[in-house]
Amino acid sequence: MKTFPMFLKTSGKRIVILGGGETAAQKCRLALKTDATLVVAAPALDLELAGLAATGRIEHHRGPITPALFEGAALVFAATGCRGADAGVAALAKAAGAVVNVVDAPELCDAFTPSIVDRDPLVVAIGTEGAAPVLARQVKTKLEEILEPRLGDFVALAGRLRDAVAQRVPQKKRRAFWRWVFAEAPRRAHAQGRERDAAKLLKEAIEAGGAPDGAIAAGMVSLVGAGPGARDLITLRGVQRLQEADVVFYDRLIDTEVLELARRDAERIYVGKTPGAADWPQDRINAVIVAAAKQGKRVVRLKCGDPGVFARGAEEAAALDAAGLSWEIVPGVTAASAAASELGRFLTERDAVDTLVLTTGHASRDGTPPRWSEQLKPGVTMAIYMGVGAAPEIQAELLGAGLPEGLEVEVVSRAGSPDAQMLRATLGDMARAVAVSGVANPAIILVRRPKPVSLSLSRRAAPRAVAS
């Protein structure tokens, strides 16, 4: 960062706006949201600013611009509309020790005006260091949609009760209490317009010394799908669980940028299983998850892709059930979907492919390989997870069952990541092409067997790179 984001205190201070036209009026509208004394310095004011001066909302300074004008100012806006005049008054203000924003001149600014989502006292500021103000406004629009319009009133209510919480709710219960306030019944009631009900719930919980029994699932475990790799492919619910977690157990293939979405003070524990190694067998992973949950912690078990697709999630859930612990599944984008996206493909297409089969390239515990040919009927796309190492066996089994050598095969490694690799081949040449290309796990093999008469879509987005 080239700028440090922080909020300036304005109580008992002045904000000075230099200029009397529309540009100055825009800054004045923003500054009026604060409790500062607004001083607008200009020989004359436009109609809007003149009206504000007439009602006493702002002070109109008509005199000369001197260093005394800026003494004790929290912030100065140079908004005369003249680049030369703005530069001159900005230099004078800086010499007087003021923090200065010069409109449309980032190189002259000490501070930049962010896009603001105002739910006072909750305020979200979005800045781009002057590089992309349009993007900042787009982010603001998204946040305006997410945060309910009257959320600020609820935040203010919670703020008024903080002292009572400190006095009546034991410290060890406070995190859970505030999590309940802002994620459960009180916030929902307020968002639905039932402000009195929300206040009543809060006050009753404070009197009782904490959130209602069962309102917060102590020892709750969330089996969260991180998606195929890229940070922006995790779901909003997955991000929420990461930000609530006390401890995160994560896999070998989890991108470090995804881990950055977790709360700063959350404990992060690596439990990745490296092929051929025994550092973290599944029984040990089950045991540490159960142990953390029994301590009353909010646990996230972060898995690549979707926790319900070849991720051993069922085994972990069974261990939690046996320990009498609560758990939930937070789905994620599975690798088959990400692979199809990389290829510009669709996993199903009307009249051509109406069935999707997700299978694995690994043999079962007794060493028996899957019967891929029994699943690959006409009208099927088969996604084979972690199958690159078994490419010769897959090829031999499919060809041995009479499937045509010319059947289309696509392989995508690290789908959804910037370093994704793609390979197209025929079934007859698959094993050789995989060996020559060096494509490696984590990878998905997509084998597509359309119906005899295909009306599939012909236009597809071109993949970034294709090896053959």
Side-chain angles (χ1 to χ4, degrees):
M1 296 186 298
K2 295 179 180 178
T3 59
F4 186 78
M6 66 188 308
F7 291 90
L8 296 174
K9 194 169 184 178
T10 58
S11 298
K13 297 188 177 183
R14 293 178 300 127
I15 293 177
V16 179
I17 300 172
L18 301 162
E22 171 58 24
T23 304
Q26 292 172 5
K27 298 302 180 185
C28 194
R29 292 171 205 144
L30 182 63
L32 281 169
K33 295 178 180 291
T34 73
D35 58 356
T37 298
L38 268 59
V39 179
V40 179
L45 304 179
D46 73 1
L47 291 176
E48 180 182 355
L49 292 173
L52 290 170
T55 59
R57 299 285 302 282
I58 64 173
E59 295 180 6
H60 182 195
H61 177 84
R62 297 180 178 83
I65 307 301
T66 66
L69 178 64
F70 308 113
E71 290 180 5
L75 184 63
V76 173
F77 289 104
T80 68
C82 172
R83 182 65 174 266
D86 281 345
V89 294
L92 189 61
K94 290 180 182 182
V99 176
V100 180
N101 174 270
V102 183
V103 176
D104 294 333
E107 71 280 3
L108 299 177
C109 292
D110 297 319
F112 298 96
T113 306
S115 289
I116 291 175
V117 180
D118 184 7
R119 301 289 189 273
D120 184 30
L122 172 66
V123 179
V124 182
I126 306 110
T128 62
E129 298 183 345
V134 171
L135 176 60
R137 288 194 290 272
Q138 291 174 350
V139 174
K140 166 186 164 68
T141 299
K142 292 292 185 183
L143 290 174
E144 292 282 7
E145 295 171 358
I146 294 171
L147 302 177
E148 57 266 32
R150 298 198 63 190
L151 180 57
D153 294 339
F154 185 59
V155 175
L157 170 63
R160 292 192 295 272
L161 294 171
R162 288 196 73 85
D163 287 345
V165 172
Q167 294 169 9
R168 296 176 180 270
V169 178
Q171 187 170 5
K172 65 180 181 179
K173 292 185 176 182
R174 285 179 202 161
R175 184 190 296 275
F177 174 82
W178 288 117
R179 183 186 296 133
W180 169 73
V181 168
F182 290 112
E184 303 293 341
R187 182 173 174 182
R188 286 198 300 269
H190 197 278
Q192 294 166 1
R194 296 185 289 115
E195 291 89 349
R196 291 183 180 179
D197 290 345
K200 183 179 179 182
L201 286 168
L202 272 171
K203 293 174 182 179
E204 288 177 348
I206 293 170
E207 290 293 333
D213 292 340
I216 294 294
M220 179 70 178
V221 177
S222 299
L223 306 173
V224 177
R231 169 179 168 140
D232 58 353
L233 286 178
I234 189 172
T235 66
L236 288 175
R237 185 178 296 179
V239 173
Q240 182 183 42
R241 295 300 184 267
L242 281 172
Q243 293 175 349
E244 295 172 348
D246 299 308
V247 58
V248 179
F249 296 99
Y250 65 96
D251 276 347
R252 176 173 62 93
L253 299 175
I254 296 294
D255 194 301
T256 54
E257 289 194 0
V258 176
L259 287 174
E260 288 301 313
L261 297 170
R263 208 177 73 233
R264 285 185 184 179
D265 57 345
E267 188 178 3
R268 296 164 172 82
I269 299 176
Y270 171 75
V271 293
K273 295 191 289 291
T274 303
D279 289 348
W280 281 100
Q282 190 62 50
D283 288 348
R284 185 183 176 196
I285 295 173
N286 295 350
V288 294
I289 294 172
V290 167
K294 281 186 173 180
Q295 294 171 18
K297 295 179 178 180
R298 296 279 294 191
V299 178
V300 163
R301 174 68 173 101
L302 191 62
K303 295 173 171 287
C304 290
D306 183 282
V309 180
F310 303 118
R312 309 287 285 270
E315 295 174 48
E316 293 168 2
L320 293 165
D321 281 337
L325 294 164
S326 300
W327 56 272
E328 66 171 344
I329 298 172
V330 179
V333 177
T334 190
S337 298
S341 175
E342 294 284 359
L343 294 162
R345 278 281 197 189
F346 298 95
L347 291 171
T348 63
E349 294 182 27
R350 186 178 181 184
D351 298 322
V353 177
D354 55 16
T355 303
L356 172 64
V357 172
L358 306 181
T359 188
T360 176
H362 292 171
S364 60
R365 291 182 181 180
D366 64 4
T368 304
R371 296 288 293 174
W372 298 288
S373 59
E374 294 179 359
Q375 304 171 70
L376 193 58
K377 307 296 183 182
V380 168
T381 292
M382 186 166 65
I384 306 174
Y385 285 64
M386 307 299 285
V388 165
E393 291 82 357
I394 295 169
Q395 176 182 304
E397 200 272 335
L398 292 176
L399 291 176
L403 272 74
E405 292 189 3
L407 208 60
E408 184 178 25
V409 175
E410 294 164 312
V411 183
V412 182
S413 172
R414 301 191 67 83
S417 300
D419 57 348
Q421 292 179 278
M422 286 160 281
L423 165 70
R424 282 197 174 112
T426 61
L427 178 58
D429 194 42
M430 178 178 72
R432 185 203 66 82
V434 166
V436 170
S437 70
V439 67
N441 282 324
I444 289 283
I445 299 175
L446 295 176
V447 187
R448 178 182 165 90
R449 189 181 182 187
K451 294 179 180 179
V453 178
S454 176
L455 299 176
S456 62
L457 299 177
S458 60
R459 295 183 62 186
R460 302 189 186 101
R464 292 198 299 266
V466 176
S468 60

